[in-house]
Amino acid sequence: VHTLMGLSLIFGLRRNEIFHARRDWFSFEGEKARVNVEAEKRFKPKGGHEGHSMGNKALTKRILNKASGEDYLIKNRADNGRPIYSEALKLLRDIGWDRPSPLHELRKLFGSYVSTTESLYTSQKWCRHADSKTTSESYSDLIEDKKVISRWVA
């Protein structure tokens, strides 16, 4: 669950991208971590949009250290990962997050964070949206609270 939520919040990965994320997708560049979302035989990114996203290096190292799988980060491959997604949904619901798609909301938070700290264009690229309208309409809420921004990179 830690891996799933971390990859969504730190890199804005989609559910299917998280399930197919491999250790060799990750690299480190200075103080940043990079994840390359790559098509493979059994996985095609949504809309065929391969690309990359950048995130916090220290948090990424924690995610990679806690990930259960040696190749794929999500070790339990049964039922397309449904058990782990159900567990994450339960945790989010238990803290009162009643949004229709709570896991996707983590991705939207990532997009808003990138829009706030980098740019709308960067958010579009890192979220791998084909259309900037998608990013501007759903992933660009301004995060004004400096505490929220500083905790994101802590």
Side-chain angles (χ1 to χ4, degrees), residues 103-139:
L103 290 173
H104 198 70
E105 292 297 320
L106 297 177
R107 176 175 158 77
K108 287 182 177 182
L109 282 172
F110 167 80
S112 293
Y113 171 77
V114 174
S115 291
T116 300
T117 59
E118 301 283 339
S119 70
L120 189 60
Y121 175 79
T122 301
S123 183
Q124 177 191 351
K125 292 301 176 193
W126 289 0
C127 287
R128 292 161 315 286
H129 291 145
D131 185 355
S132 62
K133 185 177 177 185
T134 302
T135 312
S136 66
E137 288 180 354
S138 300
Y139 294 76

Side-chain angles (χ1 to χ4, degrees), residues 32-140:
K32 294 272 188 185
R34 177 183 174 118
V35 61
N36 292 309
V37 177
E38 302 170 350
E40 54 188 45
K41 195 174 195 174
R42 297 179 185 209
F43 167 71
K44 300 284 183 260
K46 184 177 179 181
H49 298 288
E50 292 184 311
H52 78 278
S53 184
M54 303 294 284
N56 179 280
K57 182 179 182 176
L59 292 175
T60 302
K61 284 186 174 187
R62 276 196 245 161
I63 290 168
L64 293 174
N65 286 337
K66 289 187 177 215
S68 58
E70 292 186 24
D71 180 16
Y72 290 104
L73 298 185
I74 304 294
K75 183 178 182 178
N76 183 352
R77 313 297 297 158
D79 200 18
N80 286 325
R82 280 190 178 83
I84 194 162
Y85 291 113
S86 295
E87 188 180 342
L89 283 171
K90 182 181 178 339
L91 283 171
L92 291 169
R93 299 271 188 234
D94 286 351
I95 63 168
W97 217 355
D98 59 356
R99 300 188 180 244
S101 301
L103 290 173
H104 198 70
E105 292 297 320
L106 297 177
R107 176 175 158 77
K108 287 182 177 182
L109 282 172
F110 167 80
S112 293
Y113 171 77
V114 174
S115 291
T116 300
T117 59
E118 301 283 339
S119 70
L120 189 60
Y121 175 79
T122 301
S123 183
Q124 177 191 351
K125 292 301 176 193
W126 289 0
C127 287
R128 292 161 315 286
H129 291 145
D131 185 355
S132 62
K133 185 177 177 185
T134 302
T135 312
S136 66
E137 288 180 354
S138 300
Y139 294 76
S140 62

